[in-house]
């Protein structure tokens, strides 16, 4: 059961009939920063981000959206951009957060975009961390041989591509199908994806592998994973129309690994050019997870940007 794997201060909050796993830390009276993970991520992805932001005077909330991490694994849930917008805004309502800075990693970047487009009044600022978004005029980018694969979808050389055609033809609730996916998606397979997200693979520790493979210990992950494969990867929508963002009067920060093999640096450069006035920071010798692989620099830059735009 997910409850047995929760952090001591973790909580489960039901939004739109789905259970979200939430870490809510810091003073509730401080400005809120919401952290949204990417495909295959969870609250674990932000383990190095909490303390620096809290120390700088922010309330920090990270949550697992279905079916990731410890969130709901029901096969009745739709993992769509619209549902993720509803979960995000619904969680803000449940936590009495009127407005927040939204930080989205990879597929989480498309989620924060969708939230900003649908509910601009709830967004104080946007931070794209290797954001998987479709920038107008940029050549399509597809999933590589390794990596979180949330950039665009089905097929190509993605490590999950062999499962897409199968998943589209079967019932995710089928016990036989769940046995099949449990044989195909193994800890070693997910570990390979983690290595592919890092530029310096020597920095991947057993603890990191354990954190990213924990989902395989959660009841019901097999059916949830199959259901996820029947829709857009990551549940985000990389093809969202970004043009309204150009009219959204909020500060934007873009943080990217120079050696990102999942969502290439040129996407971040194009996003920076498209969103006039955005700040763009690139981390050398860093892959798809700058908040982990270059945590100190990432946190310092994020805190400084927050201070410049939201500090007293």
């Amino acid at each position: 059961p997910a409850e047995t794997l929760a952090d001591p201060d973790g909580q489960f909050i039901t939004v739109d009939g789905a259970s979200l796993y939430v870490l809510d830390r810091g003073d509730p009276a401080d400005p809120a920063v919401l952290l949204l993970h990417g495909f295959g991520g969870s609250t674990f992805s932000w383990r190095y981000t909490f303390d620096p932001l809290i120390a700088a005077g922010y309330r920090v909330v990270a949550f697992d959206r279905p079916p990731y991490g410890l969130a709901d694994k029901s096969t009745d849930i739709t993992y769509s951009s619209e549902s993720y917008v509803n979960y995000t805004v619904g969680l803000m309502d449940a936590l009495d957060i009127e407005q927040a800075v939204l930080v989205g990693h990879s597929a989480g970047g498309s989620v924060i975009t969708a939230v900003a487009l649908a509910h601009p009044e709830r967004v104080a600022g946007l931070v794209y961390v290797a954001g998987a978004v479709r920038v107008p005029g940029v050549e399509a980018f597809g999933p590589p041989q390794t990596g979180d694969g949330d950039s665009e979808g089905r097929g190509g050389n993605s490590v999950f591509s062999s499962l897409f055609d199968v998943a589209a033809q079967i019932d995710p609730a089928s016990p036989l199908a769940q046995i099949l996916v449990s044989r195909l998606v193994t800890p070693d397979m997910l570990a390979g994806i983690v290595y592919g997200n890092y530029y310096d693979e020597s920095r991947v520790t057993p603890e990191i592998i354990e954190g990213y493979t924990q989902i395989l210990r959660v009841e019901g992950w097999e059916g949830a994973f199959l259901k996820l494969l029947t829709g857009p990867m990551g549940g985000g929508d990389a093809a969202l129309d970004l043009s309204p963002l150009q009219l959204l009067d909020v500060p934007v920060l873009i943080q990217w690994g120079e050696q990102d093999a999942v969502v290439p640096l040129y996407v971040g450069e194009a996003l920076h050019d498209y969103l006039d006035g955005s700040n763009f920071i690139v981390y050398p010798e860093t892959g798809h997870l700058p908040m982990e692989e270059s945590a100190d620099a990432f946190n310092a830059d994020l805190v400084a940007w927050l201070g410049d735009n939201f500090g007293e």
Side-chain angles (χ1 to χ4, degrees):
E3 291 76 10
T4 65
L5 299 171
D7 296 87
D9 63 339
Q11 56 183 311
F12 294 86
I13 297 177
T14 299
V15 177
D16 277 2
S19 175
L20 313 182
Y21 176 64
V22 182
L23 297 180
D24 180 7
R25 296 172 176 168
D27 188 338
D30 288 338
V33 179
L34 260 65
L35 308 175
L36 288 86
H37 62 77
F39 180 88
S42 67
T43 57
F44 179 77
S45 303
W46 304 108
R47 62 197 179 280
Y48 302 133
T49 312
F50 277 99
D51 288 347
L53 293 187
I54 294 170
Y58 298 94
R59 176 185 185 181
V60 186
V61 177
F63 67 101
D64 296 345
R65 59 185 184 273
Y68 303 105
L70 303 184
D72 209 314
K73 300 293 185 288
S74 172
T75 57
D76 294 329
I77 294 175
T78 300
Y79 309 133
S80 66
S81 179
E82 180 180 2
S83 64
Y84 285 156
V85 168
N86 293 338
Y87 295 147
T88 304
V89 175
L91 178 61
M92 292 175 66
D93 291 340
L95 297 177
D96 198 26
I97 297 174
E98 183 62 31
Q99 195 175 60
V101 174
L102 304 184
V103 182
H105 172 246
S106 202
S110 67
V111 178
I112 68 171
T113 300
V115 173
L117 296 178
H119 301 277
E121 74 285 354
R122 307 301 295 269
V123 178
L126 295 169
V127 181
Y128 290 93
V129 184
V133 294
R134 171 77 67 230
V135 183
V138 175
E139 183 180 351
F141 60 97
Q145 292 183 357
T146 58
D148 72 0
D150 57 34
S151 57
E152 189 54 16
R154 312 164 178 276
N157 293 320
S158 168
V159 291
F160 294 125
S161 61
S162 61
L163 298 176
F164 282 116
D165 291 339
V166 175
Q169 305 297 323
I170 59 179
D171 177 6
S174 163
L176 183 60
Q178 293 181 16
I179 291 174
L180 173 63
V181 78
S182 70
R183 301 290 179 86
L184 294 174
V185 182
T186 65
D188 285 345
M189 178 186 180
L190 294 189
I193 296 170
V194 175
Y195 281 112
N197 278 270
Y198 271 71
Y199 170 71
D200 181 0
E201 294 186 357
S202 69
R203 302 189 64 178
V204 179
T205 65
E207 291 75 19
I208 292 174
I209 297 299
E210 168 65 20
Y212 278 106
T213 59
Q214 182 193 60
I215 189 173
L216 301 183
R217 297 165 54 197
V218 183
E219 287 180 344
W221 76 265
E222 302 93 341
F225 187 85
L226 284 169
K227 180 64 178 288
L228 181 66
L229 293 183
T230 65
M233 285 291 277
D237 184 358
L240 284 169
D241 177 15
L242 299 189
S243 58
L245 283 186
Q246 296 179 311
L247 304 177
L248 189 63
D249 187 22
V250 300
V252 176
L253 173 64
I254 301 168
Q255 297 175 279
W256 226 276
E258 186 176 39
Q259 306 298 327
D260 192 332
V262 180
V263 184
L265 179 61
Y266 67 76
V267 177
E269 294 170 337
L271 183 62
H272 172 52
D273 291 340
Y274 189 75
L275 298 178
D276 187 42
S278 60
N279 292 86
F280 185 38
I281 303 174
V282 179
Y283 301 94
E285 298 184 347
T286 301
H288 190 53
L289 298 164
M291 69 283 199
E292 298 185 23
E293 199 167 7
S294 295
D296 290 343
F298 175 91
N299 292 328
D301 291 333
L302 178 55
V303 167
W305 178 83
L306 288 168
D308 289 343
N309 289 280
F310 306 101
E312 295 182 357

